[in-house]
Amino acid sequence: MRLMLSFFRAYRGPTLLMLLALLLSGLAEGIGLSALLPALNIALGTGRMDTGAADLSGYEAVIVETLHSLGIATTLGNMLLLVLLGIFFKSVFLLLAQRQVGYTAAQVGTDLRLNMLRAILRSRWEYFLHQPAGRLTNALATEAERSSQSFVHGATAITFLIQSMIYGAVAFALSWKASLVAIVAGAIVIGLSHFLVRITRRAGRRQTSLLTSLIGNLTDILASVKAMKAMAREGQADRVLASDTGKLNKALRRQVIAAAGLDAGQELMFAGFICLGIYVALGIYDMELPTVMVLVVALGRAFSFLGKVQKQYQKLVQGESAYWAMLDSISEARDAAESAGGAAPPTLATGIRFEGVGFSYGENASVFHDLTLDIRAGSLTTLVGPSGTGKTTLVDLVIGLLQPTQGEIRVDGEPLSGLDPRAWRRQIGYVPQDTVLLHSSIRDNVTLGDPDLTPEAIEQALRDAGAWDFIQALPDGVDTVVGERGGKLSGGQRQRVVIARALINQPQLLILDEATSALDPDSEQAVRQTMEALKGRITLLAISHNRGMVEAADCVYRLRDGRAEPVIAGDVA
Ligand SMILES: Nc1ncnc2c1ncn2[C@@H]1O[C@H](COP(=O)(O)OP(=O)(O)OP(=O)(O)O)[C@@H](O)[C@H]1O
């Protein structure tokens, strides 16, 4: 029940409302049930109701006295009406409680998803890079859902527990001895079948880790399916996924067997105890039939609800591990949150300077030591260098996604670490190597749905990106739908739409991360012209081995051995 306590702490108000509705529902059910014994006595014509409360046993006497003090005659009609009213109010309050459970469960799932997403998006870049995409997908898709279902099962277990206690209380009022025996019997049944709950808990934990692994592998495989098919290696993917799904299947089977075992075992044991109880009550203690009948109904229902409590608890523990796993992931990501940085407003009037910068990924992965370079404002600086020499790392340091381990990066003479990081990044336009367009219009692809961007701003960004002329030639202009992943445009056209997307917010610094590496000569030439046209107006930083981008650059740096050396464009091989 640690899980329900955790939910209670997080959703105090909704949980209290739910509990109140459940208690009222239980109370209504208890009142209805209390009228059953007088109703039966009247129906069976035992004559006990005619003599008044004085001749009645404790429980019945209390009921009859209460009814008389309320001015309600103990007629069969009134008693049956009371039973019906009890059931009616029980159903109304139960409905309210269940509505509250449903709303809170949906809120649990939504909050977990949003908290996870926000924590991951606000985490340090190095932490983010080490997160398998599948882990996030699995958390958002399956773990959040399993967690909210656990809340539903926990709340339903509480509902059944309250109902079980109401029936138990009525039975206790009728015969405390019989009820004590029943409590012991109930505890034996619950205790004997608890090992099945433990099996389910283990199967649930296994499912949580297997689903993370399966969805992680699936995400990776889907990303490289073309290469796998091209080399006829899809069998390998099949083997990996088949092994994961096979293990998942085994865990699910265990869970199914444990649930079925609990169902069958409980029913048999409870039925056995009820039969034994009837035999002892009628055959040995010679109790009256109406009392035994109500006792059987009350204890039978109490047993039945107790059994349901355990079944719901079994379902709760099955998904419980998903909730703890999500909470762990959220807290881990929060611990890895990006530092708040400084507060100084950024400008980019003179340039960015790296002064003796050192950087390493962890202890043994040194990338830069004593790196010094200048990126003059309004110029195009191109970075070249063999693979793995740190070009992307340098860009990430400029953006402020990574922090130097030694030296300083200055923007207009101010340490980058002292600038407001979000304000700094709002000045940056970033064009990645892979141009992923949305299956929507060019307009949507440029604005990314921002309604504040005017048609004039869209046109200007497309003109600056050198895309306006080809877009004018399209039948629907900026409203042309670009197709799945932009498939209806050429590589160069796609790239220029992405550059327009980066330019629309009027950045001071445009970064192109190998943005022209996949382009044909004509497209590359068009992007180069765009860069040349932008020079002087904004600062440009490009990672590129492309001859055009090197020739167009005002300054070219080659990264080597953890340092940057300026090179003449013609010397770049
Ligand atoms: N997240 C990371 N954790 C550990 N090491 C990393 C990480 N990212 C990059 N590296 C290492 O840092 C070095 C520089 O990587 P980086 O990606 O910056 O090089 P690059 O010059 O951009 O390479 P390429 O031209 O192949 O894209 C490489 O040795 C790489 O293995």
Side-chain angles (χ1 to χ4, degrees), residues 450-503:
D450 184 345
D452 294 335
L453 294 169
T454 61
E456 293 74 29
I458 297 170
E459 180 180 335
Q460 190 57 51
L462 287 165
R463 279 187 189 280
D464 288 345
W468 188 248
D469 288 345
F470 87 78
I471 287 170
Q472 286 305 94
L474 296 171
D476 294 319
V478 288
D479 292 314
T480 304
V481 173
V482 298
E484 186 68 27
R485 298 173 75 86
K488 289 185 188 165
L489 301 181
S490 75
Q493 289 170 337
R494 279 201 295 271
Q495 197 65 274
R496 277 175 281 164
V497 172
V498 175
I499 293 175
R501 179 192 287 173
L503 288 176

Side-chain angles (χ1 to χ4, degrees), residues 276-343:
L276 191 67
I278 294 173
Y279 179 78
V280 172
L282 290 177
I284 300 177
Y285 285 102
D286 218 10
M287 284 169 76
E288 286 171 4
L289 185 63
T291 308
V292 173
M293 280 169 78
V294 176
L295 207 53
V296 165
V297 169
L299 282 179
R301 297 277 281 166
F303 273 149
S304 153
F305 280 123
L306 203 60
K308 285 180 183 175
V309 169
Q310 199 179 25
K311 281 181 213 158
Q312 288 299 319
Y313 182 64
Q314 188 183 38
K315 288 182 183 166
L316 176 148
V317 300
Q318 188 263 317
E320 189 183 7
S321 53
Y323 177 70
W324 299 123
M326 263 198 105
L327 283 198
D328 283 351
S329 303
I330 291 170
S331 118
E332 189 188 286
R334 282 183 178 158
D335 288 345
E338 257 188 312
S339 66

Side-chain angles (χ1 to χ4, degrees), residues 382-393:
T382 299
L383 302 174
V384 297
S387 175
T389 48
K391 299 178 295 295
T392 301
T393 305

Side-chain angles (χ1 to χ4, degrees), residues 9 36 39 49 88 195 243 253 275 319 327 406 445 457 483 490 494 550 555 571:
R9 274 194 290 270
L36 200 60
M49 288 298 128
F88 172 77
F195 77 98
S243 154
R253 243 189 263 173
C275 288
L327 283 198
Q406 70 178 61
N445 269 289
S490 75
R494 279 201 295 271
V550 171
C555 187
D571 291 351

